[in-house]
Amino acid sequence: MTTAPPRGTPHGPRGHGLRDFYEDPAVPVASGTRRSLRQARMLATALGPAASGPRTIVDIGCGDGTAAATAAPLLAGHHVVGVDWSQDALRRAHTRLPYAVRGELTDGGLPFRSACADAVLFSEVVEHLVDPDVALDEIHRILRPGGHLMLSTPNLAAWYNRALLLAGVQPVFSEVSLRAIHGRPGSEVVGHLRLCTARALREFVTASGFEVVRLRGAPFHGVPRPLRPLDRLACRVPSLASILLLHARRT
């Protein structure tokens, strides 16, 4: 998922800014199906059936639209609008979503009026932001009172990261460079700037004007196959899970 990095961000590969990094077609803009389905089920339960009135859902950082398309069968009848900063991602999103528009969380904000959305999907975005406080303020603005925020992000304290840190190895999901992976497992550079634990995520969202309803865990598609049963088991304890799925309501 991609969003526009705020002004004054560090420079990326070969001296270019983060904007160039996120416009690179090789940079991943979609995440795992399991996470998308779990998040969609949480949102579908919160919204209820569209027969009682269709709701407006804004998918901020929609990337190529894969996550929203995966969730669509569970959100039938509701209106889903994808938003992304990357023109390349939006070109791909238009093949999967009926509505996808260009927008930024900074430099003027999202192209929506205040209190217009019933729910916001914010999947695998916050870890890419230089200024997540401004992002949460903008989400708070476009959500109606009582509106739903569905946020997902990698867990710094995932079960394997705890073991890696004890061994002196850089945690999975964390990056020290936009050019290559250094000191940790994996080979894919995705531009993560911020990571949080379950406790930190709860506190951050609450301080931004939301009431946390539920926090769940989800598996990570990049876990080696032999370890995936253990990764699924860890989801029972969100503080140990690979991915944090948070449901909050705008106060």
Side-chain angles (χ1 to χ4, degrees):
M1 311 302 173
T2 55
T3 55
R7 295 173 182 169
T9 52
H11 289 289
R14 298 177 179 82
H16 296 295
L18 284 175
R19 290 176 179 270
D20 298 301
F21 175 79
Y22 287 118
E23 281 290 10
D24 184 347
V27 173
V29 292
S31 51
T33 300
R34 288 180 180 271
R35 189 272 303 151
S36 299
L37 286 173
R38 289 192 182 209
Q39 193 173 45
R41 291 189 189 104
M42 291 171 68
L43 180 55
T45 299
L47 292 177
S52 60
R55 307 297 179 86
T56 299
I57 303 164
V58 179
D59 183 4
I60 299 176
C62 67
D64 65 3
T66 299
T70 299
L74 298 174
L75 301 171
H78 296 301
H79 304 303
V80 180
V81 180
V83 184
D84 208 287
W85 172 81
S86 167
Q87 295 283 22
D88 179 74
L90 283 173
R91 279 192 291 271
R92 287 179 274 174
H94 279 299
T95 66
R96 299 182 174 95
L97 300 177
Y99 305 103
V101 299
R102 192 174 190 273
E104 302 189 21
L105 287 164
T106 58
D107 295 338
L110 296 167
F112 303 109
R113 60 180 173 82
S114 298
C116 69
D118 298 289
V120 164
L121 284 169
F122 200 46
S123 305
E124 319 297 311
V125 175
V126 70
E127 63 271 16
H128 297 271
L129 301 179
V130 171
D131 195 343
D133 301 285
V134 170
L136 265 288
D137 289 344
E138 185 65 0
I139 290 172
H140 191 276
R141 181 187 69 80
I142 70 168
L143 274 175
R144 64 170 178 81
H148 303 277
L149 168 62
M150 296 290 174
L151 184 156
S152 67
T153 190
N155 182 12
L156 176 61
W159 60 275
Y160 41 80
N161 279 345
R162 298 181 185 216
L164 289 172
L165 276 171
L166 283 174
V169 178
Q170 186 82 9
V172 173
F173 307 127
S174 66
E175 296 176 335
V176 299
S177 170
L178 290 178
R179 299 180 181 181
I181 294 298
H182 302 290
R184 73 156 172 84
S187 59
E188 202 171 58
V189 178
V190 293
H192 288 177
L193 303 178
R194 296 183 181 273
L195 292 174
C196 59
T197 64
R199 178 177 177 177
L201 182 62
R202 281 180 176 274
E203 292 183 4
F204 168 56
V205 171
T206 300
S208 300
F210 295 86
E211 178 186 1
V212 175
V213 177
R214 188 177 187 185
L215 183 67
R216 295 186 61 190
F220 174 46
H221 60 277
V223 169
R225 188 174 297 275
L227 297 178
R228 289 180 185 176
L230 184 57
D231 194 41
R232 290 193 294 269
L233 183 63
C235 292
R236 297 182 182 181
V237 183
S239 61
L240 296 175
S242 287
I243 306 296
L244 300 171
L245 301 180
L246 181 138
H247 172 203
R249 299 191 73 172
R250 179 195 186 278
T251 56

